[in-house]
Amino acid sequence: IDNWSYAGAGDTDQEFWKDIPGSFCGDSSQSPINIDTKKTSDIGLAPFNLQSYDTTKPVTIENNGHALEVVLSNGAGEGQYDITGGGLNGTFRAVQFHFHFGSNDMKGSEHTVDGKRYPADMHIVHYDTAYGSVNEAIKKKGGIAVLGFFLEISNLLSILSLSDTHQEMENFTLSDLLPSSLDKFWRYDGSLTTPLCNEVVTWTLFEDTIEISNNQVIIGHKFHYERLRTPYKRFSDNENLGRWKNREIRTNLC
Ligand code: BO1
Ligand code: ZN
């Protein structure tokens, strides 16, 4: 069913994503992008409330063939990882998070900051609960909110141990993964970064990074599914990309 790939697979790779039936990959508000920090400015937005991330629950880690993914929702439909604030309208529920690694430390992250590519990034994918399900929300502009974090290599062990096989984790706490400061972030309206590339995503990219160990990044390289063409050049020189700093911020594009 997933007849697309990143690279080296002929007519399924990135240049052809736009030709997939129902695809939005050739549209004009695609992600990822480069954050040009000189073009950002501050507006006042509320801080995020990510309290629900403090809960400890079982999760499943899997290689979905496109990324290393951790499934959060167990299908019970209960409000689990619900977030508010951060300038989002309403309540957004996390369903999964995943990582984008490269084949080596010099690449991996999909978004870039002033041209800098991090060894990996992590995307927590939420849908607007007003739409009832992720399948409905994915059809609506702003129906999806992704919180993106850049990963940097440090000697610290993070809480998540990765495996190259499907793995259950009994006691997992999402907030343990996050950087200590969530105050500074960039905001723009974009898309899913893979087919069908729906332009329904309110993107939040946090300036503070997550530190992972060298061993973990080596494991991550085994799961590299990297983009050929990234980021998209979307913004002309006089367009502003929003940035939130110290819980104020701003934005505006598109
Ligand atoms: S990303 O965060 O922009 N890299 C991204 C890319 C693709 C998806 C999600 C996030 N895909 C969608 C699937 C849906 C699924 C949803 C949540 O992820 O198209 O079928 O329900 O897992
Ligand atoms: Zn992603």
Side-chain angles (χ1 to χ4, degrees), residues 205-233:
L205 298 169
F206 289 89
E207 186 176 83
D208 274 25
T209 60
I210 296 173
E211 297 189 332
I212 60 171
S213 72
N214 195 47
N215 279 346
Q216 286 173 322
V217 85
I218 288 168
I219 293 168
H221 295 159
K222 290 198 268 177
F223 297 95
H224 71 96
Y225 299 102
E226 64 220 41
R227 302 175 65 91
L228 286 178
R229 186 161 53 85
T230 177
Y232 287 89
K233 288 199 172 59

Side-chain angles (χ1 to χ4, degrees), residues 31 69 95-96 98 100 110 123-125 134-135 138 144 146 191-196 198 201 203:
S31 296
E69 180 171 311
V95 291
Q96 50 107 331
H98 59 268
H100 298 276
E110 294 198 314
H123 294 155
I124 312 177
V125 183
V134 65
N135 289 339
I138 216 163
I144 301 290
V146 180
S191 73
L192 299 180
T193 63
T194 59
L196 301 170
N198 309 45
V201 179
W203 275 96

Side-chain angles (χ1 to χ4, degrees), residues 177-188:
L177 273 181
L178 305 188
S180 47
S181 168
L182 300 171
D183 288 349
K184 291 175 279 179
F185 53 89
W186 296 287
R187 162 66 45 80
Y188 78 100

Side-chain angles (χ1 to χ4, degrees), residues 71-130:
V71 182
L72 297 172
S73 74
N74 56 16
E78 296 299 314
Q80 295 178 323
Y81 298 93
D82 286 358
I83 68 166
T84 57
L88 302 175
N89 283 321
T91 300
F92 286 72
R93 184 164 299 166
V95 291
Q96 50 107 331
F97 65 93
H98 59 268
F99 299 89
H100 298 276
F101 279 96
S103 52
N104 63 60
D105 293 351
M106 302 309 293
K107 53 189 179 179
S109 72
E110 294 198 314
H111 287 86
T112 58
V113 179
D114 293 334
K116 175 181 166 67
R117 189 178 300 285
Y118 288 85
D121 54 18
M122 181 178 100
H123 294 155
I124 312 177
V125 183
H126 310 72
Y127 69 94
D128 187 340
T129 56

Side-chain angles (χ1 to χ4, degrees), residues 36-75:
D36 185 343
T37 59
K38 291 189 306 300
K39 292 181 192 164
T40 66
S41 54
D42 291 354
I43 62 174
L45 289 183
F48 276 102
N49 180 346
L50 305 183
Q51 235 177 325
S52 66
Y53 287 4
D54 292 337
T55 55
T56 301
K57 296 194 163 74
V59 295
T60 302
I61 305 172
E62 60 191 26
N63 179 355
N64 68 17
H66 303 300
L68 194 62
E69 180 171 311
V70 177
V71 182
L72 297 172
S73 74
N74 56 16

